[in-house]
Each structure stands twice: as C-alpha cells, then as structure tokens.
Amino acid sequence: MNPQHEVAPEVSIIVPAFNEAEGLAVFLQQLFDVLRGCTASHEVWVIDDGSRDATWERLKGELPHYASLRGLRFTRNFGKEAAILAGLRQVRGRAVVVMDADGQHPATLLPEMLEIWRSGKAQIVAAQKANRGTDSLMARFNAKLFNGLMRMVTGLDLEGASDFRLMDRRVVDTLLSFPEKVRFFRGMTVWTGFTTEPIQFDVAPRIAGASSWNTAQLTRLAITAITSYSAKPLGMIFRLGLLGMVAAGLLFVQAMYSWLTHIAVSGWTSMTVVVLFFGSANLLGIGVLGAYLAQIFEEIKARPEFLVGEIAPQSEK
Ligand code: UDP
Ligand code: MG
C-alpha cells in the first residue's frame, strides 16, 4: 500500500488487461492525454491478469513516461472480475473508474463522467453501450440472451450495461466490504442502488488483438451472475415438481379409469413420456442444485480471489 501521508488522488483508473501488449502503449497515451486535461490529480493502475504475451514488459517500459502509472501483475490468469477487485483494493481515488485496456471504452468520455460526479448528481456514472461496435452476430446474440436471462431471473436490468463506470469512493468502499468471493462487478454496482447516471458511448473497435471471451466463458459468467443474485431457479424446480404432481394425479385417474373399464394395457406412450419427462426434470433439478452447491463451495473455501505476482514501481508496495 501507499504511504499514509500521500493525499488521495481525485481520480483513479483501473484497467484490467489480459494479453494487451500490442495496443497498450497507444491506449495509455490516449488515456493520459485526456486525464491531464480533466484532472490534476490522478493515478492509473493496470492490472495484468496473468497475460501470456509481453503486456507486463510493455507496461514496465511505459512507467518512466507517466509518473502516476502503476502496475500489478497476477501470478496467473484469474479473470477480469478478479482483476477489477484487485484494482479496487489498490486505488485510493475519490472517484474510481474501471475501463478496458483495448480502447473499446473511449477515454474521451472521462471528462463528462467526472463532471457528472463532481456536480454531485450521482455516485455512479455508468457508461452504456449505444451500439455494440464490431461485435459479431454471435456475440450480440449471446449478450441478448445473457441480459434477458438476468432480467428474468434476478430482476437486474443489465441491457447495454458495461464495466465502464465511474464510482464514488463510498461505492468502492461498499463493494469492498462485501465478504463474497464470487463476484460479478456490473451486477454488484447495480445492486447497491446508489444514484446512477447513465451516459451513452459508442463501442470503439479494439486498438489491437482479439476479444478473449468465448461462449463457454460467457455461460460460466451467466451461471455465476445468476447464482449469486437470485435463488429463483431453486423455486422453479419446486414449481416444476408441483406441476409434475398434478400431471401424475391426472394420469393416475386415467390409469384407474382404463383399469376399471378393462381397456388397460394402452399407456405405453404416456409411460414413456412420463419416464422421459421426469427423468430429465430430475437431472435438470440436480444440475441447478449443483450450480448453487458449487457457488457455496467456492464461498466456503474462501480462497483468495487472486494472487499478486509483482507490483510496479516496486517502491509503491
Ligand atoms: N480481460 C482480463 N482478463 C481476462 C479477459 C479479459 O483482464 O481473462 C480484460 C481485457 O484485457 C480487456 C477487458 O478485460 O481490457 C475486456 O476484455 P475483452 O476485450 O476481451 O472483452 P470484450 O470487449 O469482447 O467484452
Ligand atoms: Mg474489448
């Protein structure tokens, strides 16, 4: 941590970066150009989430150019959520902004975000995607599905929401006071209910490299997000079970009727349907239970969310 006597900067920027070596220099230049123009006191923390390329070396190379630039490197890839958390724990700013390292979150939005925060109008300024830029059709579909599912199950509206947001110190301290290990930053800030001012931005194309999200990761994120914000799926199994009971009751009446009227034996079809339906419903139910069990397991283990490999410049320890 930084020495106590140092005054907290007005603005801290947290930049999670995974394999961003190629575009990092350009990104930092754009960022600092804007920052210098809109605030006198700032710090920028790039959190290298265990990149496998030269991100860390590039970052260290950039340190001499920017006095307020800091870096932290994980021992391995722990994921963007962990990187954001690491950043939140490091920074001391009175306003904290999280933004991507690939240039997709335009730094030119910062002056406006700061203005809104300074005016005291809101404690969170959430940048919302006006368009999805160069996202592929698949990515758009995934996002739609994810947001729709989240709204249905957790009641949190994340449509257009991005991780690009400014938070007042109070919001950051609140988030840090949560004991939970499994985190979903975007949802968490919405959940806190602090006054939020949305502003629109056009998603820019990446400076370099490619997005590192795939459908499997997004599915995992969706499961994490849902299991940490809602127990509704558990209630759904219960209701499905009830429905099954009613159906079984009706079938029982039908079976009794055919038996009494001596037209039995039929029923192969209904039997098959019942077996198939309840067989798969059972598995589905166990799957949902499993997802919550896994969530509880993660929380109970209480392992650290990430491990820090190195901090630069080193005197900043
Ligand atoms: N990122 C990260 N860890 C990961 C994956 C991504 O810190 O495991 C960072 C990445 O470097 C970028 C941001 O998270 O700054 C968003 O990632 P990306 O551009 O791949 O996602 P997209 O823009 O497609 O949502
Ligand atoms: Mg991106």
Side-chain angles (χ1 to χ4, degrees), residues 206-224:
R206 275 181 151 270
I207 297 172
S211 168
S212 41
W213 288 93
N214 56 38
T215 306
Q217 282 174 309
L218 211 63
T219 311
R220 219 171 306 138
L221 181 70
I223 293 177
T224 303

Side-chain angles (χ1 to χ4, degrees), residues 20 80 100-105 135 203-208 210-213:
E20 303 283 5
K80 188 183 179 185
D100 285 1
D102 55 9
Q104 294 204 276
H105 295 164
D135 278 9
V203 182
R206 275 181 151 270
I207 297 172
S211 168
S212 41
W213 288 93

